[in-house]
Amino acid sequence: TEQRRTEIHREAQTTPEAYEAYGKGLVATSYEQQLEFFSLSIQKDSSFFYANLAMGDPYNREGRFELAIGEYDHVIQENPRCSHAFYGKGKAYDGLKRPKLAAAAYRTFVKLAPSKTSKVVGKIKQRLRDANEDKDDDDDRPRRRPLKKKDKP
């Protein structure tokens, strides 16, 4: 929305060129156009993390989850309190079938999210409650219990 774009422009303190490209990316209708404009925005001002944040979303939608995570990690490095980056990162890990990493990202999102996102926060909290986090998401090998001192030869 126009009001949010004005807020972001005020908060971001970026170059007019970077902000203009970012704005065009927000209204672009195709994946390719979005990436083109967000990339241009990043080229114009590499510290304008809103463009990285916006770039992660189309990557997620297109199933390019590793690239999305890279964009969200960049945002988190620049602004560790950006709840949206953790939400997007959780969605990307969901897409990669990595439930523990997704749950960790979602937990951080819930901690940081502003009150206006309470509906989304509620859904994520319910999902975390429903999730079976006992399963290791990195591999499906059976786990052996660690040897106790008395068990060691």
Side-chain angles (χ1 to χ4, degrees):
T1 66
E2 188 59 36
Q3 180 183 2
R4 180 65 183 136
R5 286 176 47 187
T6 303
E7 289 173 15
I8 290 172
H9 188 231
R10 195 174 339 104
E11 291 171 14
Q13 300 177 352
T14 188
T15 66
E17 297 85 7
Y19 188 74
E20 181 181 350
Y22 169 76
K24 288 179 180 179
L26 289 177
V27 297
T29 56
S30 76
Y31 167 76
E32 291 81 15
Q33 287 178 327
Q34 288 176 330
L35 293 183
E36 177 186 336
F37 287 120
F38 295 143
S39 292
L40 179 61
S41 179
I42 293 166
Q43 288 173 6
K44 298 292 182 184
D45 181 359
S46 62
S47 68
F48 183 42
F49 71 85
Y50 286 103
N52 293 96
L53 182 62
M55 206 158 162
D57 294 339
Y59 281 149
N60 258 347
R61 281 193 304 279
E62 292 293 314
R64 300 177 74 184
F65 304 118
E66 297 287 348
L67 291 172
I69 290 167
E71 296 299 334
Y72 296 129
D73 280 343
H74 180 81
V75 172
I76 292 164
Q77 185 177 16
E78 294 291 320
N79 182 0
R81 301 206 45 82
C82 181
S83 63
H84 184 81
F86 287 100
Y87 179 75
K89 195 172 177 179
K91 286 175 60 174
Y93 281 127
D94 272 340
L96 291 171
K97 309 279 189 259
R98 308 283 302 273
K100 280 189 175 185
L101 294 173
Y106 287 142
R107 270 192 227 93
T108 305
F109 163 74
V110 167
K111 288 178 192 171
L112 298 175
S115 60
K116 66 183 176 186
T117 59
S118 61
K119 192 173 188 177
V120 175
V121 169
K123 287 180 182 179
I124 295 297
K125 281 182 176 179
Q126 182 62 46
R127 180 160 177 231
L128 289 171
R129 281 191 295 270
D130 295 343
N132 177 2
E133 294 181 17
D134 292 337
K135 183 179 177 201
D136 187 4
D137 63 348
D138 289 321
D139 63 46
D140 294 323
R141 292 179 295 164
R143 298 286 175 214
R144 291 192 239 170
R145 68 176 177 80
L147 292 175
K148 295 179 184 174
K149 272 189 170 182
K150 66 179 182 179
D151 293 339
K152 292 182 182 178

